[in-house]
């Protein structure tokens, strides 16, 4: 009987140990929240970005990846001794890629509002907002004129979040709210007349209007005001703070202003920069 009891106790202990080990390897929310250190010098810094998001990240005329955020990331990496790598991602898969370690951060006009509990963010570095763009001379000059119209936005975007949240009442007046994989195609549909309006980031609107000043107009009313920040895996506060400190140093030595001026032709303004 004593031997049998000893075997039972040993079995229970083994099961308890297995449960602890499984919990530690499970990859659930608790694991994702564990504190993490900043990359060591020489480590790879993999930047996840949407390659169809000018002027923050896109494919240049030479076929290479370029953009304001990618230039920022490259400079931050160089100053910290990291090796930068650009990784174009499917925006729907960004969280899976970040939590698995396939990318180090999401750095591409990434709105932090409403996501604060899900990521470790850098300080907000750029002022942004959600706006609506329409074709000129189409009789649409206010939100009221969007009643019965077809509005399109990017899937899993800040604009979609607003239209399904705070501005759900406005969206209910639309004839249809459509989503699409990336904004370049959305504006092609606007230009062709397939849709009546595009709901998007202010930066995207400024870029599209600077490229075709005679084609589009932005409504005076805005859907929201928000900020861009660099998103890291939840718990990776140390890297987020390191990036913020480096961006501040880049502002102080004039690098930020130089990069803003480089992309000013795309509608990007130094006046919207925040980390100082």
């Amino acid at each position: 009987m004593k031997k049998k009891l000893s075997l039972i106790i040993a079995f229970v202990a083994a099961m308890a140990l297995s449960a602890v080990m499984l919990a530690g390897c499970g990859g659930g929310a608790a694991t994702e929240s564990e504190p993490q250190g900043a990359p060591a010098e020489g480590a790879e810094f993999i930047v996840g970005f949407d390659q169809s998001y000018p002027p923050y990240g896109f494919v240049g005329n030479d076929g290479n990846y370029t953009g304001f955020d990618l230039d920022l990331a490259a400079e931050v990496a160089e100053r910290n001794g990291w090796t930068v790598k650009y990784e174009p991602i499917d925006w729907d898969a960004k969280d899976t890629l970040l939590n698995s370690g396939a990318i180090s951060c999401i750095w591409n006009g990434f709105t932090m509002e409403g996501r604060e509990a899900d990521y470790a963010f850098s300080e907000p570095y750029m002022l942004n907002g959600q706006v609506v763009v329409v074709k000129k001379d189409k009789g649409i000059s206010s939100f009221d004129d969007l009643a019965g119209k077809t509005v399109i936005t990017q899937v899993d975007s800040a604009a979609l979040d607003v239209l399904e949240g705070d501005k759900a009442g406005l969206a209910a007046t639309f004839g249809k709210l459509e989503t699409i994989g990336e904004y370049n195609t959305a504006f092609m549909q606007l230009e062709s007349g397939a849709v009546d309006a595009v709901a998007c980031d202010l930066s995207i609107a400024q870029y599209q209007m600077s490229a075709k000043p005679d084609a589009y107009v932005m409504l005076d009313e805005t859907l929201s005001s928000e900020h861009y920040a660099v998103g890291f895996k939840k718990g990776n506060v140390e890297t987020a703070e390191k990036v913020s400190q480096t961006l501040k140093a880049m502002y102080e030595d004039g690098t930020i202003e130089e990069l803003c001026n480089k992309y000013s032709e795309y509608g990007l303004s130094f006046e919207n920069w925040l980390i100082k």
Side-chain angles (χ1 to χ4, degrees):
M1 180 68 179
K2 188 174 180 180
K3 183 176 181 182
K4 184 175 182 182
L5 180 60
S6 298
L7 289 173
I8 292 173
I9 292 173
F11 176 76
V12 171
M15 292 298 292
L17 179 60
S18 297
V20 170
M21 294 178 65
L22 285 172
C25 302
T31 302
E32 293 170 13
S33 300
E34 290 177 359
Q36 303 165 49
E41 187 170 349
E44 196 169 53
F45 187 63
I46 308 173
V47 178
F49 73 104
D50 179 350
Q51 65 179 322
S52 302
Y53 204 78
Y56 289 87
F58 59 104
V59 180
N61 294 330
D62 60 359
N64 295 319
Y65 298 129
T66 188
F68 178 68
D69 275 354
L70 300 190
D71 283 359
L72 288 178
E75 183 67 20
V76 166
E78 182 175 347
R79 294 189 184 205
N80 286 285
W82 305 331
T83 301
V84 72
K85 178 183 177 182
Y86 301 139
E87 186 66 42
I89 62 174
D90 178 346
W91 201 243
D92 285 342
K94 63 184 182 299
D95 293 338
T96 299
L97 294 170
L98 185 65
N99 289 326
S100 70
I103 58 176
S104 306
C105 65
I106 302 169
W107 196 336
N108 194 202
F110 193 40
T111 301
M112 67 182 297
E113 277 78 7
R115 294 169 168 148
E116 294 91 341
D118 301 322
Y119 305 89
F121 277 109
S122 70
E123 292 181 28
Y125 64 88
M126 185 66 78
L127 181 66
N128 186 46
Q130 296 304 317
V131 299
V132 177
V133 178
V134 298
K135 288 185 72 174
K136 285 186 176 180
D137 306 320
K138 290 297 181 181
I140 301 176
S141 59
S142 70
F143 283 172
D144 289 342
D145 296 328
L146 294 173
K149 300 294 195 295
T150 299
V151 180
I152 195 169
T153 190
Q154 186 176 9
V155 64
D156 199 28
S157 64
L160 182 61
D161 288 344
V162 172
L163 289 171
E164 291 181 339
D166 292 345
K167 295 294 184 181
L170 172 63
T173 70
F174 301 162
K176 185 184 295 185
L177 176 60
E178 297 182 352
T179 58
I180 199 165
E182 45 87 18
Y183 277 121
N184 284 338
T185 305
F187 275 91
M188 290 179 187
Q189 293 199 16
L190 178 62
E191 187 173 17
S192 71
V195 300
D196 301 297
V198 177
C200 62
D201 290 70
L202 173 63
S203 57
I204 296 297
Q206 291 173 328
Y207 167 74
Q208 294 290 344
M209 290 190 299
S210 67
K212 296 185 177 180
D214 297 326
Y216 308 126
V217 63
M218 185 172 64
L219 300 186
D220 291 335
E221 298 167 274
T222 61
L223 296 170
S224 70
S225 178
E226 57 200 31
H227 307 85
Y228 284 158
V230 187
F232 296 88
K233 184 178 179 180
K234 191 173 180 180
N236 198 356
V237 176
E238 186 175 330
T239 308
E241 291 178 347
K242 176 75 73 173
V243 168
S244 296
Q245 293 167 2
T246 308
L247 290 174
K248 182 177 181 180
M250 289 165 57
Y251 168 80
E252 291 173 344
D253 66 21
T255 302
I256 296 299
E257 185 170 10
E258 289 178 8
L259 290 177
C260 286
N261 291 336
K262 175 181 176 180
Y263 292 96
S264 62
E265 64 181 289
Y266 296 94
L268 194 144
S269 173
F270 179 58
E271 293 181 359
N272 292 333
W273 182 262
L274 298 174
I275 296 182
K276 300 176 182 179

